[in-house]
Amino acid sequence: MSHSIPSVTYLTSPPEPRLQGSLRVPGDKSISHRSIMLGALAEGVTNITGFLEGEDSLNTLRCFRVMGVSITDPVAGVVRVEGVGLHGLKAPKVPLYVGNSGTSMRLMAGILAGQPFDTVLEGDASLSRRPMKRVIDPLTRMGAVIEAGEGGRSPLTIRGGQRLKAIDYILPMASAQVKSCVLLAGLYAEGRTCATEPAPTRDHTERMLAGFGYPVERHGATACVTGGGTLQGRAIDVPADISSAAFFMVAASIARQSDITLEHVGMNPTRTGVIDILKAMGADITVHNARTVGGEPVADIRVRNARLHGIDIPEHLVPLAIDEFPVLFVAAACAVGRTTLTGAEELRVKESDRIAVMADGLQKLGINAIATPDGMVIDGRGTDDEVFGEAEIWSQGDHRIAMAFAVAGLRARGQIRIHDCQFVETSFPGFATQFRNCGGGLVDAQAESTGLAQ
Ligand code: S3P
């Protein structure tokens, strides 16, 4: 498998006054990963619709194929997984490559810790800089044997054949990936494994385990599973990813005369912080056709242009909007007055250091954005039609940074040239096309292959 990918540069066009129309953004990344993982470990067939055909979830799919699971190629979001049961995975002959995906590495570490064979988990340059000690620590306490690089970085070598024991784990940080890793290892442990989180984080693992017929006990901040059960294959309808929809929510809020509807968006309450934050800033967002699909709430979201104002972002909303801050910083720059974010130090260990990279890019575009250890202070320029200047930005291997600056182009005086946008493929294939289709000006300029991902 070649891990080098061609580099892509986005060129924004000077102000496009309006975004219009209805669109459905691609499937939820978190739910797509989990649908492959639990589908593979289930007994019987799991039929998935709405699967995200992005590089991150495709890497999870490829890894389970390498471990002997029969999974069809996704066609228009439809995937069939023939589950092998919790004890049916086969030893891979090669390292498992997960690319840019922290979710794949951290959740799979929990599953792999319980297997009878050794595995190696490796990722791209960005992932190899991200902290893995946060999963190595609880797994080691459960009896797993894991070798990592310096400072607990990947690649991870996970030694199979260990007898895992249940633990009661108090998470030191609000992280759904760590919580999920512990619960997934708990499926293989003797006894009852519990994970307690300091603040609510996305609960897709708990919901999906229950949907596959695996009992999950939930009391307040604690979720527990008891090892030794089985999962039953089922149908999964993956809703559109609210984290991808967020780019359009901000785009329509800041571009004059906009009115768009985002269809079939996942509205799990552990993910809707972006709507609460934008509404607190004065956004015009209405929720329609609220319904439940396969255990997850879903709705259509209408967003119209509005005059935003700066706020102090409530800290309890931070984990509920954790992936949306790059584009929320763009919204803050387009607001009247100051926006302050605190309690968001986790942003420093995402696909890039999102505090440093966003503050730097916003400053280049003429915004007074000051990075702090755990957040940012942004002085909005909402009274100006053209909020941003023109500049060249490097997205530092981070899909959400690339898309956030593409949205900024809607209120820029000149062109924003955004490099390394190939990583947008990890979570939002077709972003530039969907953005253009509803009226945003964005050219997707392809350059030669650089091997940047390695
Ligand atoms: C995810 C959890 C979050 C989020 C990531 C996906 C998941 O990470 O940022 O994009 O699917 O569980 P953390 O758990 O590290 O906060």
Side-chain angles (χ1 to χ4, degrees), residues 58-78:
L58 288 172
N59 276 321
T60 291
L61 184 157
R62 292 177 192 125
C63 287
F64 280 88
R65 274 188 183 156
V66 169
M67 291 189 284
V69 184
S70 171
I71 310 175
T72 58
D73 281 334
V75 178
V78 174

Side-chain angles (χ1 to χ4, degrees), residues 128-433:
S128 307
R129 286 191 292 269
R130 296 178 64 188
M132 293 299 148
K133 197 170 171 306
R134 54 180 60 198
V135 290
I136 297 172
D137 284 349
L139 291 176
T140 305
R141 276 186 48 196
M142 295 176 82
V145 177
I146 302 177
E147 293 148 25
E150 218 188 296
R153 314 280 168 197
S154 60
L156 305 180
T157 301
I158 302 179
R159 299 286 172 206
Q162 315 300 325
R163 231 177 120 115
L164 299 188
K165 52 182 187 298
I167 56 167
D168 235 321
Y169 193 62
I170 314 278
L171 274 77
M173 74 291 283
S175 166
Q177 292 179 353
V178 176
K179 172 179 63 175
S180 301
C181 168
V182 170
L183 293 176
L184 291 171
L187 304 180
Y188 293 93
E190 225 173 271
R192 183 165 166 264
T193 296
C194 297
T196 300
E197 49 189 3
T201 66
R202 64 193 70 193
D203 64 354
H204 305 301
T205 301
E206 297 90 309
R207 284 176 188 248
M208 204 184 281
L209 278 171
F212 275 84
Y214 204 105
V216 179
E217 297 166 62
R218 300 181 70 178
H219 316 280
T222 303
C224 308
V225 294
T226 300
T230 56
L231 300 163
Q232 301 306 323
R234 53 168 283 210
I236 296 179
D237 178 4
V238 181
D241 197 328
I242 190 168
S243 297
S244 298
F247 296 99
F248 288 88
M249 290 184 208
V250 173
S253 295
I254 66 168
R256 307 269 188 240
Q257 304 165 43
S258 293
D259 184 353
I260 62 167
T261 298
L262 295 150
E263 297 163 354
H264 206 78
V265 179
M267 292 289 284
N268 181 311
T270 59
R271 298 286 299 282
T272 48
V274 62
I275 296 179
D276 298 330
I277 293 169
L278 284 172
K279 277 187 167 174
M281 295 175 79
D284 181 353
I285 300 179
T286 48
V287 174
H288 305 268
N289 300 328
R291 54 211 185 263
T292 302
V293 177
E296 291 277 352
V298 168
D300 302 330
I301 301 173
R302 183 173 182 188
V303 189
R304 282 172 277 193
N305 172 246
R307 191 179 155 90
L308 302 181
H309 55 83
I311 59 165
D312 290 340
I313 298 175
E315 285 197 11
H316 75 272
L317 292 177
V318 170
L320 311 181
I322 193 66
D323 290 337
E324 285 64 81
F325 285 103
V327 79
L328 282 170
F329 294 149
V330 170
C334 296
V336 178
R338 174 169 285 189
T339 293
T340 305
L341 172 69
T342 53
E345 54 282 337
E346 276 294 305
L347 294 182
R348 292 202 176 270
V349 291
K350 293 295 178 188
E351 286 83 329
S352 69
D353 176 342
R354 288 182 174 161
I355 293 176
V357 177
M358 283 304 299
D360 185 52
L362 289 172
Q363 284 162 16
K364 279 190 178 156
L365 290 166
I367 302 297
N368 185 21
I370 309 295
T372 62
D374 66 341
M376 206 182 304
V377 180
I378 299 173
D379 286 328
R381 296 187 47 178
T383 47
D384 301 344
D385 269 352
E386 293 164 355
V387 167
F388 303 101
E390 58 186 337
E392 208 164 345
I393 306 278
W394 275 264
S395 59
Q396 306 291 349
D398 188 330
H399 52 138
R400 299 200 204 278
I401 301 280
M403 290 185 276
F405 283 112
V407 170
L410 294 166
R411 288 284 291 275
R413 192 168 57 245
Q415 186 172 71
I416 308 178
R417 181 176 271 267
I418 313 158
H419 298 288
D420 294 351
C421 297
Q422 63 276 21
F423 292 93
V424 167
E425 288 298 311
T426 60
S427 68
F428 198 154
F431 166 73
T433 308

